Amino acid sequence: YVKMQSQYFREAGYYTTNNAKEDYQFQKPVTAWNESSPQAHWRNRKIEQPFFSVFNPRLFLTPFLVLARVPSLTTITFVSIGFAAVQGSLFTFFTTYLTDSLGFSLAVAGMLYATLQFSSFAGRIVMGVVADLIGSPRVLIMILGFFSPLGLFVLTTLEVNNPQWLLLLKCAFVGSMIASWNGLFLAEVTRVSASTDVGESTAASTFFTFISYMLAPPIFGIVSYNLGYQSAFILVGGLAALSAAAMLGSIVKTNWK
């Protein structure tokens, strides 16, 4: 009988997890772990309970391996990186841009940011309905990709002396064009992954999406600080345009076949 280290931790009151390799060279005891699976995580422990967790470093390669195994997932993943860069940067710097660069009061900037958020929420519902009507989210994703730079351009036309209704209208347009793609993206991931593990494909694709969410705003900030907001807008708008071009190429290639 072999007693594993994790058992000693469990006996001491620890919550033990293994994610997820089990090449022990012997039969593991049933009491070896509280959890041992690809979903095992110390977050599932009781409040204030100490934990002992093992993660396989190979898991960090999983998203790359999944993309290699499901080639059709690569395009939509690349598309999401461009979209996430625009949305993440805009939502991070929107109020700063309005107050520091355009001279809006913080109260007005907050109102316009709320409009941006609401229109993105409403836009996702509308885009979902339209995608159902036409039978595919791909065309809408492509259109949104080309309209994202237009939304950024509209953002640069905001002026303090604009009437309130015009400011609200412009921000509603910007939000609906730049931040209404998320549901369409997940629907397309599900479609291209139909013959594989959809959950695994979604996790792999969104891994790169959220990397873009994290990296794009700091890069946007560096560019805007050194070269100005216009240059930063051009940078992320160009990424969105590249995403749209990639989706257009995928649509043309599919129809050509």
Side-chain angles (χ1 to χ4, degrees):
Y1 174 75
V2 177
K3 195 168 186 178
M4 295 175 58
Q5 181 67 36
S6 58
Q7 289 176 272
Y8 291 104
F9 279 106
R10 287 194 70 183
E11 292 171 1
Y14 282 68
Y15 189 81
T16 62
T17 65
N18 175 49
N19 190 332
K21 189 176 181 181
E22 293 189 342
D23 186 15
Y24 301 126
Q25 305 300 316
F26 60 87
Q27 183 65 39
K28 73 170 184 178
V30 294
T31 56
W33 305 97
N34 290 100
E35 292 183 78
S36 182
S37 73
Q39 290 75 43
H41 204 287
W42 55 265
R43 292 194 184 96
N44 299 325
R45 74 196 194 283
K46 296 178 182 178
I47 297 176
E48 302 297 331
Q49 184 179 9
F51 64 90
F52 172 76
S53 294
V54 175
F55 288 90
N56 186 349
R58 189 176 182 274
L59 292 175
F60 294 102
L61 297 177
T62 299
F64 299 91
L65 297 175
V66 172
L67 289 187
R69 191 169 68 249
V70 189
S72 55
L73 193 62
T74 304
T75 299
I76 187 60
T77 300
F78 174 77
V79 169
S80 75
I81 290 173
F83 278 66
V86 176
Q87 182 177 330
S89 299
L90 176 64
F91 280 13
T92 302
F93 286 93
F94 182 77
T95 54
T96 304
Y97 169 67
L98 293 188
T99 55
D100 290 353
S101 182
L102 302 184
F104 284 89
S105 69
L106 190 58
V108 173
M111 177 187 68
L112 296 180
Y113 182 74
T115 302
L116 191 79
Q117 290 276 23
F118 177 80
S119 63
S120 69
F121 167 76
R124 292 171 194 179
I125 297 175
V126 173
M127 293 300 170
V129 172
V130 175
D132 285 341
L133 290 176
I134 66 177
S136 172
R138 306 177 78 201
V139 174
L140 282 180
I141 292 174
M142 178 195 67
I143 292 173
L144 287 176
F146 286 122
F147 269 77
S148 284
L150 178 59
L152 293 174
F153 172 75
V154 170
L155 190 63
T156 65
T157 68
L158 297 177
E159 295 181 359
V160 174
N161 59 0
N162 284 154
Q164 188 177 93
W165 67 266
L166 183 57
L167 291 174
L168 294 173
L169 182 62
K170 287 181 177 180
C171 289
F173 174 80
V174 172
S176 62
M177 291 298 102
I178 288 178
S180 60
W181 58 275
N182 312 70
L184 301 175
F185 157 63
L186 293 175
E188 179 65 8
V189 169
T190 301
R191 187 191 70 82
V192 301
S193 308
S195 59
T196 62
D197 187 329
V198 174
E200 185 180 50
S201 296
T202 302
S205 189
T206 54
F207 169 82
F208 295 98
T209 306
F210 283 102
I211 289 294
S212 181
Y213 270 125
M214 290 188 296
L215 294 182
I219 295 173
F220 183 96
I222 292 172
V223 173
S224 62
Y225 179 80
N226 290 281
L227 301 175
Y229 279 103
Q230 302 293 338
S231 297
F233 286 141
I234 291 173
L235 174 63
V236 294
L239 288 176
L242 284 175
S243 296
M247 181 55 69
L248 175 61
S250 176
I251 293 173
V252 170
K253 183 178 179 180
T254 300
N255 292 337
W256 185 263
K257 291 180 180 180

